[in-house]
Amino acid sequence: MFGIVRPCTHRLGDGLTAEWMAHLCGLCLALRSDHGQFARIVTNYDGLIISVLTEAQSGITSGGRRTAGPCPLRAMRTAPVAKGEGARLAAAVSLVLASAKVRDHVADGDGLLARRPAAAAARAVARGWDRAGARTGRAVGFDTAVLVDAVDRQPGIEALAGLGTPLLTVTEPTETATAAAFAHTAVLAGRPGNAAPLAEAGRLFGRLAHLLDAVEDRVSDAERGAWNPLTATGTSLTEARRLADDAVHGIRLALREVEFADQRLAHVLLVHELRRSVDRAFSTPTCAHRPDGRHQPVPGNPYAGNPYGGGSPQGGNPYGGGNAYGGGPSGPGGPYGGTPGGPGGPALPPQFGADPGRPKPRGFLAGCAVFIGLFCTCQICCAKEYEGPWSRKKREGCCRDCDDCGCDGCGCCCPCDGC
């Protein structure tokens, strides 16, 4: 399962964990019911936010839950799961997202997909998922053409992008697609007045997803010679972090304009967990729950706080005191040549450096085979830690309690007032 929002059950607590799992299982079962067992492989954490948003606006109705049978991912237990139009819209979006991911792997020639027969088979699977997503989308009144169009436009935009191209030009198709999906949840929930702020939240969510994916893959893309938006446009990690922080803040503001029946889970996922996703991608493990909105220092963080202010060795920016955010070694004349890892720089700052022991990502087909093994052995659900089937990054099982999430004593697991 892929996605940028991967909450820890320790932080969610029992009540919200049950709700989150209800939507996750509801998405998985909606994919199976409409498109067969194989379609369940496209279940992803970001897609279920569509289901969460729909229910957050309408509230849990009498027909909004059903009891699902035993499943290996739930240790063969039954459980209440989400059903209805929100889960089906999430399934449609997930199918198109997965199709885009497959096409991206094909374009990069990952693993077996570098061979023409495998690439042709993967394209056929992607086209099938596009058609399946369109069928489910029509059933809930959503035209997935806007998603497919965004996927189709992306390669052309990337081909024209070069040094100096605004990064937001590259992220625009993703922003457009997610804005449409978020806005349609207001239609399904019978709250058309929520469409505009949800479209804004969706646009920024799409931007953030694209940014974080680019940041996390930057080193591996460079090693494989694959296209990466940060490298192609010459965007520094400092600027990428600024854009990511602005997106998180914008989502928080947009959600304030939305009329919810019960916003608790949506708020936790789209405000607090998104902030954690940004911190995780930029290797700055902090807490987003301080009442003043600033980062909470975490023991062991070499900069003990916000990378843009407070706590660094130079009193603010971890790179020093002379660039746009405080300068120093990444500023003009610094050893990194103006940007971390830029021309003239001998190396990246330590928290962004390449890990020589990090395994290379798997191709699409190899990742599918590993996913099936993880799925059938319950590791995705119950393992303390497992290796992601495609990215090979360390993941934690979605049902395991987390004993070390860095939130002790800072109020992370408590309700948030005034956000």
Side-chain angles (χ1 to χ4, degrees):
M1 287 176 281
F2 56 94
I4 63 172
V5 181
R6 302 190 292 270
C8 169
T9 57
H10 185 133
R11 295 190 298 269
L12 289 180
D14 292 341
L16 291 184
T17 294
E19 291 296 307
W20 184 75
M21 287 299 299
H23 288 284
L24 182 63
C25 294
L27 169 58
C28 181
L29 294 176
L31 287 164
R32 185 198 66 179
S33 297
D34 289 347
H35 309 292
Q37 290 284 359
F38 182 70
R40 300 171 79 177
I41 198 172
V42 310
T43 302
N44 70 92
Y45 296 134
D46 293 347
L48 72 87
I49 290 176
I50 300 296
S51 179
V52 170
L53 281 174
T54 304
E55 188 173 271
Q57 296 171 81
S58 62
I60 300 178
T61 62
S62 57
R65 288 283 190 274
R66 73 177 181 88
T67 301
C71 174
L73 290 181
R74 293 192 300 270
M76 300 308 295
R77 296 189 299 266
T78 62
V81 301
K83 59 176 290 190
E85 293 184 329
R88 299 188 73 191
L89 176 61
V93 172
S94 295
L95 285 163
V96 179
L97 282 174
S99 171
K101 201 169 187 69
V102 171
R103 294 182 188 185
D104 187 52
H105 282 300
V106 171
D108 291 342
D110 292 336
L112 291 176
L113 297 182
R115 301 179 181 180
R116 289 185 178 180
R123 290 191 190 97
V125 170
R127 288 193 296 269
W129 283 344
D130 283 339
R131 292 191 295 269
R135 289 195 303 271
T136 301
R138 283 193 298 269
V140 296
F142 180 66
D143 186 0
T144 60
V146 65
L147 307 184
V148 177
D149 175 68
V151 172
D152 290 341
R153 287 191 295 113
Q154 191 70 48
I157 292 175
E158 292 179 358
L160 296 174
L163 293 177
T165 300
L167 185 60
L168 299 188
T169 300
V170 179
T171 64
E172 179 274 324
T174 308
E175 295 179 22
T176 301
T178 50
F182 273 46
H184 195 69
T185 65
V187 177
L188 296 183
R191 295 182 183 266
N194 288 343
L198 283 174
E200 177 66 8
R203 181 179 68 82
L204 294 172
F205 183 88
R207 176 184 301 178
L208 191 61
H210 203 134
L211 280 171
L212 298 190
D213 184 64
V215 170
E216 291 182 342
D217 293 345
R218 188 177 61 89
V219 173
S220 61
D221 285 345
E223 292 173 349
R224 295 182 295 119
W227 194 91
N228 183 282
L230 299 181
T231 305
T233 61
T235 303
S236 68
L237 287 170
T238 302
E239 175 63 10
R241 178 63 193 249
R242 184 188 68 80
L243 291 172
D245 286 340
D246 285 350
V248 172
H249 183 64
I251 291 171
R252 182 192 296 254
L253 295 180
L255 291 180
R256 289 179 180 176
E257 306 300 319
V258 178
E259 184 179 353
F260 288 110
D262 183 355
Q263 69 166 342
R264 290 175 301 166
L265 181 58
H267 178 85
V268 168
L269 295 180
L270 290 173
V271 176
H272 303 305
E273 291 301 330
L274 273 186
R275 168 58 63 191
R276 290 182 178 276
S277 298
V278 173
D279 291 335
R280 181 170 58 243
F282 286 91
S283 301
T284 52
T286 58
C287 172
H289 289 251
R290 282 180 48 154
D292 59 5
R294 297 179 61 190
H295 293 243
Q296 172 74 24
V298 174
N301 180 2
Y303 305 121
N306 188 338
Y308 300 135
S312 74
Q314 279 71 30
N317 184 350
Y319 304 129
N323 62 18
Y325 297 103
S330 62
Y336 303 125
T339 58
L348 290 167
Q351 70 269 38
F352 298 125
D355 180 1
R358 178 180 173 182
K360 294 183 178 179
R362 294 187 182 92
F364 172 70
L365 295 180
C368 287
V370 174
F371 174 86
I372 292 171
L374 293 171
F375 184 96
C376 293
T377 57
C378 302
Q379 292 186 62
I380 288 179
C381 178
C382 303
K384 182 69 175 179
E385 185 178 77
Y386 66 92
E387 187 178 83
W390 289 279
S391 67
R392 305 192 74 173
K393 298 172 185 175
K394 296 300 182 182
R395 303 280 192 245
E396 61 184 26
C398 57
C399 294
R400 278 295 294 260
D401 288 336
C402 176
D403 297 324
D404 184 23
C405 63
C407 64
D408 293 339
C410 69
C412 292
C413 303
C414 300
C416 177
D417 297 324
C419 289

